[in-house]
Amino acid sequence: APLQAKPGPYKLDEKLTPKEAVTSYNNFYEFGTDKSDPSNNAGDFKPTPWTVKVDGLVGNPKEFGLEELMKMPIEDRTYRMRCVEGWSMVIPWIGFPLAALLDQVEPQGSAKYVSFETVVRPEEMPGQKGLFQPLPWPYVEGLRLDEARHPLAILAVGLYGETLPNQNGAPIRLVVPWKYGFKSIKSIVRISLTEKQPETTWKNSNAREYGFYSNVNPAVDHPRWSQATEQRIGEGGFFSTARRKTLPFNGYGDEVASLYSGMDLKANY
Amino acid sequence: MAIVPALPRKLHGPSIWALYVIGLCPAVWSFYLGASGGLGINPVKEFEHLLGLWALRFIILTLAVTPLRDLLGINWIRYRRALGLLAFYYVLMHFSVWMLLDLGMDLNAVFADILKRPYITIGMVCLAALVPLAVTSNNYFIRRLGKLWIDMHHLIYPIALGGALHYFLAVKSVTTEPFIHIAAIALLLAYRPLRKPFLRWKKARKTVDSPQPAHR
């Protein structure tokens, strides 16, 4: 459905990735592991009605209905998206700062982290049933509270002027543009504030390859492939792939590098 | 014990040539799809992966010739050279597409990846090991090398193992498709040490079972 939003504070002078690519080249293993599986298999998924439960170390735990979330201060946010697999896109999201939601539940002083959880619905998500399950469900992710409060971190409810397509994480997902794409968890049903660092799905699956931070970093290779360059999806062609240098923090270093001052980013990958 | 009808002898030669033509079809078709925009959003990766998959499939078929003969009595040994060479051609195309189209001939990146990424190192070693096998696959070298030829061509076993490992290490998670290919290679390799005892047992059973002549 069409979705109107006011212009946001971050501008990006890069060509948008075509909508067709943004909505048909996805990693969303709940619908299958091929890039085309999510767009092919997400037709039965029902993103409404929807509630997001926000609990944990908060003064005001609350369940947000989707209608209420859509009334948050939503705005246009065009961000680069860099997948850990070495490809990237430029996506015009519509969303609101995660901080705005966190403010409503009044985090306690002891809260240090935010954990997120994706819905489990095997009957609507074919990747969650069958013999070979690539990952354990639910998919879980997490951020440090200061990362979650950073103005760049948003909960997205739309892209390209419309509500989120199912394959992109309908009806509500996280977008953290300075981290690898898998941190931006989709179809969120629960957000909890915790004192301990939360479990994260890919770290549990292979801790050596996928760290808790997973900030985009061309200087730290994935153990099995280089992260120095990326392929911009939708640009170039069969005989000329559009490879470009990957930027530290995916080009958002000016905004976010201070979150990690004094940290060894090679050890905290 | 003939499960499939025997092919007339005069068709043996043409059927081998037909196998080369059919075997190269997936590459030609995928190339056409890729160049005409039919391989999806990321056509180069898709093409590269398809070529790698077909390389593994031809290695699997090459390894299947012997157990097929031992267990089912189907003798397709005349196709084994073509199957092995097709595997080699696909590995070569897989590598070329990676170097030329995916990395855009950035030789620094190519060498860095070969040296630093274990799965690429393994893939590269397998390609290098396939070269002498392809070169000596003709009748001249079979005659010339004799017993050495047989020993040398046993290299296909570590190459198949390397190919499976390369695939296993390259995927983010092992789903149905990688599992099936890797399991097929594992089974076909596991058969090799069992082969001699099996053939001995089969021969012994045959001698016992065969009826004795009534009169001398």
Side-chain angles (χ1 to χ4, degrees):
Chain A
L3 184 63
Q4 289 297 317
K6 62 183 169 62
Y10 295 99
K11 293 277 166 287
L12 198 58
D13 263 346
E14 286 178 49
K15 214 176 108 207
L16 297 182
T17 302
K19 186 180 170 191
E20 201 245 325
V22 173
T23 56
S24 68
Y25 192 80
N26 308 99
N27 277 326
F28 196 173
Y29 281 14
E30 281 82 344
F31 293 110
T33 52
D34 277 356
K35 296 287 182 290
S36 55
D37 283 344
S39 58
N40 289 333
N41 301 337
D44 291 336
F45 185 72
K46 294 176 193 67
T48 52
W50 195 270
T51 53
V52 180
K53 185 178 177 185
V54 188
D55 61 3
L57 301 173
V58 295
N60 178 29
K62 198 177 160 184
E63 282 204 16
F64 291 83
L66 187 56
E67 304 68 31
E68 202 175 344
L69 294 167
M70 299 303 277
K71 285 186 201 122
M72 299 291 273
I74 60 171
E75 53 192 34
D76 292 319
R77 293 286 186 103
T78 297
Y79 286 156
R80 284 179 286 269
M81 206 283 293
R82 169 63 155 82
C83 179
V84 73
E85 296 166 351
W87 52 268
S88 64
M89 295 184 177
V90 177
I91 305 174
W93 300 106
I94 297 169
F96 58 88
L98 174 57
L101 182 98
L102 294 175
D103 285 343
Q104 293 204 9
V105 296
E106 298 157 22
Q108 295 169 2
S110 53
K112 298 279 179 293
Y113 294 92
V114 186
S115 74
F116 304 84
E117 192 178 308
T118 295
V119 72
V120 179
R121 287 188 194 167
E123 63 288 357
E124 293 175 29
M125 302 174 118
Q128 287 183 336
K129 57 186 177 199
L131 208 54
F132 293 99
Q133 295 290 308
L135 296 169
W137 316 111
Y139 191 94
V140 289
E141 256 306 335
L143 296 172
R144 232 167 47 191
L145 184 56
D146 59 336
E147 297 177 316
R149 280 194 169 287
H150 192 280
L152 277 172
I154 59 166
L155 288 171
V157 293
L159 56 81
Y160 263 108
E162 290 179 15
T163 52
L164 275 185
N166 291 344
Q167 62 269 30
N168 293 87
I172 186 162
R173 64 169 292 169
L174 184 67
V175 178
V176 197
W178 69 92
K179 292 174 180 282
Y180 292 120
F182 67 87
K183 293 292 289 182
S184 293
I185 184 171
K186 302 182 178 88
S187 303
I188 298 169
V189 288
R190 187 172 173 202
I191 300 175
S192 287
L193 283 92
T194 63
E195 195 172 357
K196 271 176 44 194
Q197 180 176 303
E199 301 285 311
T200 60
T201 293
W202 277 106
K203 181 169 182 272
N204 287 347
S205 160
N206 194 335
R208 207 173 64 90
E209 300 189 350
Y210 309 99
F212 175 77
Y213 286 95
S214 287
N215 292 317
V216 175
N217 192 343
V220 176
D221 285 342
H222 184 280
R224 289 182 280 141
W225 55 81
S226 164
Q227 296 291 27
T229 63
E230 65 200 48
Q231 188 195 349
R232 186 57 63 83
I233 298 295
E235 290 176 24
F238 194 53
F239 300 103
S240 61
T241 47
R243 270 200 184 273
R244 58 179 70 213
K245 285 204 154 59
T246 289
L247 303 169
F249 299 110
N250 203 20
Y252 298 99
D254 287 350
E255 288 90 351
V256 302
S258 60
L259 291 172
Y260 310 100
S261 54
M263 264 177 73
D264 177 358
L265 294 176
K266 282 202 157 72
N268 297 284
Y269 52 92
Chain B
M1 187 175 70
I3 288 178
V4 286
L7 195 70
R9 204 171 180 78
K10 64 174 185 211
L11 290 180
H12 283 184
S15 71
I16 293 168
W17 285 110
L19 175 59
Y20 279 108
V21 173
I22 294 166
L24 287 170
C25 280
V28 175
W29 178 240
S30 312
F31 181 83
Y32 163 75
L33 282 180
S36 63
L39 276 189
I41 302 296
N42 198 347
V44 171
K45 275 270 180 265
E46 187 67 24
F47 187 43
E48 185 181 308
H49 292 163
L50 281 171
L51 291 171
L53 268 181
W54 279 102
L56 282 177
R57 287 170 190 163
F58 281 112
I59 287 179
I60 289 169
L61 290 174
T62 309
L63 291 179
V65 167
T66 295
L68 217 53
R69 189 180 49 176
D70 293 351
L71 302 172
L72 299 178
I74 300 172
N75 189 352
W76 280 346
I77 195 107
R78 62 178 168 276
Y79 301 118
R80 192 165 66 181
R81 168 161 51 193
L83 292 169
L85 278 171
L86 281 165
F88 171 67
Y89 298 147
Y90 273 92
V91 172
L92 200 60
M93 290 188 280
H94 175 64
F95 168 76
S96 310
V97 167
W98 171 68
M99 184 174 71
L100 297 172
L101 299 186
D102 191 355
L103 293 184
M105 209 48 203
D106 177 352
L107 289 181
N108 284 330
V110 171
F111 286 118
D113 273 354
I114 291 172
L115 292 177
K116 274 171 76 179
R117 319 265 155 241
Y119 82 99
I120 296 179
T121 315
I122 292 168
M124 204 57 224
V125 169
C126 288
L127 169 57
L130 276 170
V131 172
L133 301 195
V135 169
T136 60
S137 64
N138 48 57
N139 293 340
Y140 170 80
F141 275 109
I142 294 174
R143 274 195 303 271
R144 176 81 192 269
L145 297 175
K147 172 80 170 67
L148 178 64
W149 189 93
I150 294 170
D151 291 342
M152 188 177 153
H153 280 248
H154 282 157
L155 257 181
I156 192 63
Y157 303 142
I159 291 170
L161 193 66
L165 197 59
H166 170 79
Y167 192 23
F168 175 76
L169 289 173
V171 293
K172 227 159 101 192
S173 56
V174 177
T175 50
T176 318
E177 196 166 54
F179 177 81
I180 290 172
H181 287 82
I182 292 167
I185 288 180
L187 274 176
L188 290 167
L189 289 179
Y191 172 71
R192 262 60 198 191
L194 303 176
R195 188 173 176 235
K196 268 202 178 131
F198 171 75
L199 290 180
R200 220 178 295 134
W201 171 80
K202 202 168 134 183
K203 201 173 160 195
R205 199 185 58 161
K206 217 172 192 168
T207 349
V208 174
D209 286 354
S210 52
Q212 298 298 312
H215 303 285
R216 280 166 200 253

